[in-house]
Amino acid sequence: MKKRRDESSAREKLPSPRSGATLGKRGNGVRAAVLAATLDLLSQRGYEAMTTKEIASVAGVNEVTLFRRWGTKAALVAEALQDYSASETPTPDTGTLQTDVLEVLRGIITRIQTPIGKAIDQIIVAHHTQPELEEVRRAYWRIEFSRADTIIRRAKDRGELPEEADAQFLMEAAIGPIMVRANATGQPLDDQLPERIVMLLFYGVKNKEMQ
């Protein structure tokens, strides 16, 4: 009897299989699956046509899980876009501003020519009648310019730029020609374009500093 009671007591002291570490790992797995499913359906069907029910089905989770964690389809898409951008065009740290900007532009051009890149472009560039998509667009660019600010801050710390240099304006000037070609003129997004943008951009920056 005593042995049986001791075994029962020992079992009660064992950690539960639903420990915090296990739940955390499961939560990360769910997030990755849902974001991947969102991007996959976004590239295939576009924002309006895809549903949260489809996302949940592809991710292998309950639709209720999506609403509990993200609340709306727009919030889910916003996080998926930010996560994709960070992984596909990570913030470079090459040691110089010029090569950092080159890496950013090359990453944007590579991404924008993929099916998912084109789907994202339709959301982050166009003005939308749906208020929720306007917020997705604004949230996306807030994150992107925050990453640009990191690049510009490093350049200022290295003495490559004056303190008053505007990080957002500098990146707008760098990204602008790519957005125009991709969404307006249809001119090629060739391998030479980033170098041409950087040459023009930094020629102008240096001239201003010398005035």
Side-chain angles (χ1 to χ4, degrees):
M1 265 314 265
K2 184 176 183 301
K3 183 179 179 182
R4 191 171 297 169
R5 282 197 302 270
D6 291 343
E7 289 174 351
S8 175
S9 177
R11 282 195 299 270
E12 289 172 2
K13 293 177 182 177
L14 290 174
S16 166
R18 292 174 62 81
S19 65
T22 302
L23 288 174
K25 185 176 180 180
R26 183 181 299 168
N28 290 336
V30 167
R31 178 182 180 275
V34 170
L35 296 186
T38 300
L39 292 172
D40 186 37
L41 288 168
L42 189 64
S43 65
Q44 292 180 33
R45 296 168 57 75
Y47 178 84
E48 292 184 12
M50 75 175 186
T51 66
T52 52
K53 185 175 181 179
E54 289 175 315
I55 295 170
S57 177
V58 172
V61 301
N62 193 298
E63 189 179 10
V64 174
T65 302
L66 271 60
F67 290 112
R68 283 178 177 169
R69 182 156 185 168
W70 286 279
T72 64
K73 182 173 77 168
L76 172 54
V77 169
E79 185 170 336
L81 264 55
Q82 291 161 15
D83 191 73
Y84 177 81
S85 178
S87 62
E88 293 301 309
T89 53
T91 306
D93 187 8
T94 64
T96 71
L97 177 59
Q98 185 167 333
T99 50
D100 278 352
V101 174
L102 263 177
E103 287 301 304
V104 169
L105 299 183
R106 287 168 178 159
I108 291 172
I109 288 176
T110 298
R111 186 194 71 208
I112 213 170
Q113 297 182 91
T114 64
I116 182 59
K118 291 174 182 175
I120 291 173
D121 196 43
Q122 291 174 358
I123 294 175
I124 65 171
V125 175
H127 285 276
H128 305 281
T129 56
Q130 306 101 312
E132 71 273 15
L133 275 185
E134 283 298 316
E135 182 51 39
V136 170
R137 181 175 61 84
R138 286 192 291 267
Y140 178 90
W141 286 115
R142 277 196 299 269
I143 296 295
E144 289 301 294
F145 286 124
S146 174
R147 294 170 59 207
D149 192 58
T150 300
I151 293 173
I152 301 304
R153 169 43 54 196
R154 290 183 191 139
K156 290 177 180 179
D157 291 343
R158 290 190 297 260
E160 294 179 271
L161 285 175
E163 274 298 320
E164 63 271 18
D166 187 327
Q168 181 166 327
F169 183 75
L170 194 60
M171 294 310 295
E172 285 175 350
I175 296 170
I178 297 174
M179 296 293 105
V180 169
R181 288 194 174 203
N183 297 283
T185 66
Q187 290 295 307
L189 299 170
D190 51 54
D191 294 339
Q192 289 74 43
L193 183 58
E195 284 82 358
R196 292 173 62 192
I197 293 171
V198 166
M199 284 181 63
L200 179 62
L201 183 65
F202 284 91
Y203 176 78
V205 169
K206 288 177 181 178
N207 270 0
K208 183 175 180 180
E209 287 180 17
M210 290 186 288
Q211 287 177 357

